[in-house]
Amino acid sequence: MNTPLRRVGMAMMVMILLLLGNATWVQVINADEWRKNPYNRRVLLDEYARKRGLIIAADGTTIADVKETTDRLKFLRTYSNGPAYAPVTGYLSVTYGTSGMERAENDLLNGSDDRLFARRISALITGRDPVGGNVQLTLQPKVQQVAYDQLTAKGFTGSVVAIKPETGEILAMASTPSYDPNLLASHDAGEQATAWKQLNAEGSNDPLVNRATQALYPAGSTLKVIVAAGALADGKNKDTQYTAAGTIKLPNTQTDLPNFNGTPCGPGQTVSMETALAKSCNTAFGEMAGQLGANKLRRQAEKFGFNDPGLKVPLPVETSTLGAIPDEAALYQTGIGQRDVQITPLENAVVAATIANGGKRMQPYLVSKILGPDLKGIEDTEPDEVETAMSKDNAAALRDMMIQSEINTGGQGIGVQVASKTGTAEHGNDPLKTKPHAWYIAFAPAQKPEIAIAVIVEDGGDRGLGATGGKVAAPIGRAVMNAYLAGR
């Protein structure tokens, strides 16, 4: 054989090996990933031929159901009170795939999960049609509805997350603006396409985004509870004194770090940690963070859940971070929740719940039970303690300071004692001319907490540049806590 033919033969052999390798990769090694791809329409069409499992709220209310049809897809997914739950349930669409819990628990809902293997074999032997398993969530319908209504009543863009501190159960997870998943679940391709176009149109404000888990915000003054926790762990106490000045210079710069409106925190030169937290004094907390140091502050934040890529509920969650802290000036800014600090509403609810739980951080979760097609239990979620973020005594001291913070913002209007911290988070290229985000984190009853909450209202809500966490977000948080405590 001459040289050119050998080269052609070798080239063909290499190409055949590459083709076999690629086919093996796609059909064997990576097959499961392709099968689970939400845009794999062949798999979706196959799934539509069998009855999908239900998504159920904590009280047994069905929030994602199915009904039989006469068209070729056989079963139609339906969502009761869709917009209130859509950020959690997501959607099931033959055109646009899945999202939310529909994606996270797709194998169970469509009946292919290994936990349903015996039931699939039984259906095969008896000739019955295969049926999906069911998912029961931790969401409390009354609490979820109040959270959604509070945000939508004034057309706010934002999120509410409520957690049971002792267990980590997510009692409410609302995000606005929301959408009606029934439109995307429709068997009418034109109706689906119209809804998709509207939801993704410029100016729609991302209704498909679950802001509770997928959006990151500057924490503002809510981060001060973590700074205070670090200071307490470092040997300080509620009476430790810090500057009361209305404005200070950031270290090694000519840049001012002011309190709100540049107001001093007290009549003297210094103020206690307790008063500094109650009045949310930026200058005191900048100094506190400076004394604590970047490494200790970062470690304390991580104990509360920052930089934790495993925080899944099981919806994927963006990772909260303090960001870079290159120098002391940046440390002061980080200490008041600004600079490069980024946090999700879920993580801020975890922070409040951890303090409420005596310093023990619990893994938050949305799935309460896995149920078979016959609604009999297969698996219950057990509470999981992740780590101890602070000592019980320090958590109690911080709780007492947060009680004073609630009093300072005019709270205590829900019949029980509340511990809280507000935040007014600057953002944008020109923060002083950009409407701030309004935060509120809290738990109640303060002495024996049953609910912890985080509320974010984007861009000042209805207060514009004059917005504060106390004016905009706090009333929402109190209403949601009251809805849960009134029915307990």
Side-chain angles (χ1 to χ4, degrees):
M1 184 182 293
N2 59 32
T3 301
L5 285 176
R6 282 199 301 271
R7 289 175 178 171
V8 170
M10 288 296 294
M12 291 180 66
M13 186 179 297
V14 169
M15 286 189 287
I16 290 171
L17 289 173
L18 289 173
L19 181 61
L20 288 172
N22 184 65
T24 302
W25 176 262
V26 171
Q27 296 184 31
V28 179
I29 299 174
N30 219 29
D32 196 51
E33 182 178 336
W34 286 112
R35 183 179 65 80
K36 294 180 179 179
N37 189 298
Y39 297 106
N40 188 336
R41 295 189 72 234
R42 190 180 73 172
V43 172
L44 274 173
L45 288 170
D46 180 59
E47 290 176 3
Y48 270 92
R50 64 182 90 118
K51 188 175 181 181
R52 192 171 178 85
L54 311 176
I55 301 177
I56 306 167
D59 67 347
T61 301
T62 299
I63 54 180
D65 205 344
V66 287
K67 71 176 184 179
E68 197 163 356
T69 70
T70 57
D71 61 39
R72 67 186 180 90
L73 295 178
K74 196 173 181 180
F75 290 105
L76 174 69
R77 190 58 142 178
T78 61
Y79 301 90
S80 61
N81 201 3
Y85 290 92
V88 175
T89 63
Y91 55 80
L92 173 73
S93 169
V94 72
T95 303
Y96 303 107
T98 57
S99 71
M101 293 301 300
E102 294 280 25
R103 180 182 297 184
E105 295 292 347
N106 186 55
D107 285 357
L108 178 82
L109 294 167
N110 69 28
S112 64
D113 191 282
D114 290 342
R115 289 168 290 187
L116 301 178
F117 179 75
R119 291 169 173 82
R120 287 200 304 275
I121 295 298
S122 175
L124 181 65
I125 294 172
T126 59
R128 296 193 306 267
D129 291 331
V131 179
N134 306 291
V135 177
Q136 184 163 14
L137 305 182
T138 57
L139 299 180
Q140 297 284 342
K142 184 176 181 180
V143 185
Q144 179 75 12
Q145 191 64 54
V146 170
Y148 178 73
D149 290 345
Q150 285 287 315
L151 288 170
T152 57
K154 294 184 178 180
F156 289 162
T157 294
S159 178
V160 174
V161 179
I163 294 178
K164 190 173 182 179
E166 191 176 9
T167 62
E169 296 167 66
I170 297 175
L171 306 171
M173 181 181 282
S175 175
T176 55
S178 187
Y179 63 99
D180 185 356
N182 289 293
L183 300 177
L184 296 176
S186 170
H187 289 180
D188 184 326
E191 187 174 27
Q192 287 185 55
T194 299
W196 186 260
K197 184 177 180 180
Q198 291 174 346
L199 291 170
N200 289 279
E202 187 175 349
S204 65
N205 210 4
D206 298 324
L208 292 172
V209 172
N210 181 356
R211 286 168 163 77
T213 59
Q214 295 175 285
L216 289 164
Y217 304 92
S221 291
T222 60
L223 193 83
K224 290 172 182 174
V225 298
I226 293 180
V227 180
L232 290 170
D234 204 38
K236 308 299 191 295
N237 59 56
K238 69 182 183 67
D239 297 318
T240 301
Q241 298 293 302
Y242 298 93
T243 180
T247 302
I248 60 173
K249 295 291 183 185
L250 292 174
N252 305 312
T253 75
Q254 293 302 309
T255 303
D256 287 338
L257 176 68
N259 291 330
F260 186 71
N261 291 331
T263 306
C265 288
Q269 296 295 312
T270 63
V271 67
S272 69
M273 184 194 298
E274 181 178 55
T275 300
L277 188 75
K279 295 186 175 183
S280 201
C281 303
N282 290 339
T283 55
F285 273 88
E287 183 179 71
M288 196 183 305
Q291 292 179 9
L292 185 60
N295 290 336
K296 288 183 179 179
L297 177 56
R298 197 179 298 281
R299 283 198 297 272
Q300 182 64 75
E302 288 174 350
K303 288 182 178 181
F304 276 100
F306 277 66
N307 296 331
D308 183 356
L311 190 67
K312 294 180 173 61
V313 291
L315 303 180
V317 181
E318 291 292 325
T319 302
S320 300
T321 176
L322 293 183
I325 310 177
D327 52 38
E328 197 174 7
L331 177 57
Y332 272 52
Q333 293 171 312
T334 301
I336 63 169
Q338 296 290 164
R339 182 83 183 185
D340 296 323
V341 177
Q342 295 282 286
I343 190 172
T344 62
L346 174 62
E347 168 58 20
N348 231 350
V350 168
V351 170
T354 299
I355 300 166
N357 196 38
K360 296 179 180 178
R361 175 162 70 95
M362 307 299 293
Q363 173 71 24
Y365 62 96
L366 268 168
V367 176
S368 172
K369 296 179 180 179
I370 298 299
L371 307 171
D374 54 3
L375 294 178
K376 291 183 179 178
I378 295 177
E379 183 177 295
D380 291 352
T381 301
E382 296 294 332
D384 178 20
E385 182 182 331
V386 182
E387 68 175 305
T388 300
M390 60 190 307
S391 72
K392 187 175 181 179
D393 288 344
N394 285 347
L398 184 51
R399 173 204 65 206
D400 291 345
M401 288 189 278
M402 291 175 69
I403 291 172
Q404 295 305 311
S405 175
E406 174 73 6
I407 294 171
N408 191 67
T409 55
Q412 308 305 318
I414 68 169
V416 297
Q417 193 175 54
V418 175
S420 73
K421 183 70 192 80
T422 58
T424 306
E426 295 180 347
H427 63 105
N429 294 326
D430 189 351
L432 296 179
K433 294 182 180 179
T434 303
K435 292 177 284 189
H437 300 321
W439 277 107
Y440 179 74
I441 63 172
F443 54 87
Q447 301 298 330
K448 195 175 181 181
E450 297 178 38
I451 182 172
I453 195 164
V455 180
I456 176 90
V457 177
E458 293 184 15
D459 300 321
D462 57 350
R463 296 296 186 107
L465 288 171
T468 64
K471 293 176 182 177
V472 179
I476 296 174
R478 291 170 189 142
V480 174
M481 289 190 292
N482 188 56
Y484 179 70
L485 295 172
R488 72 193 190 280

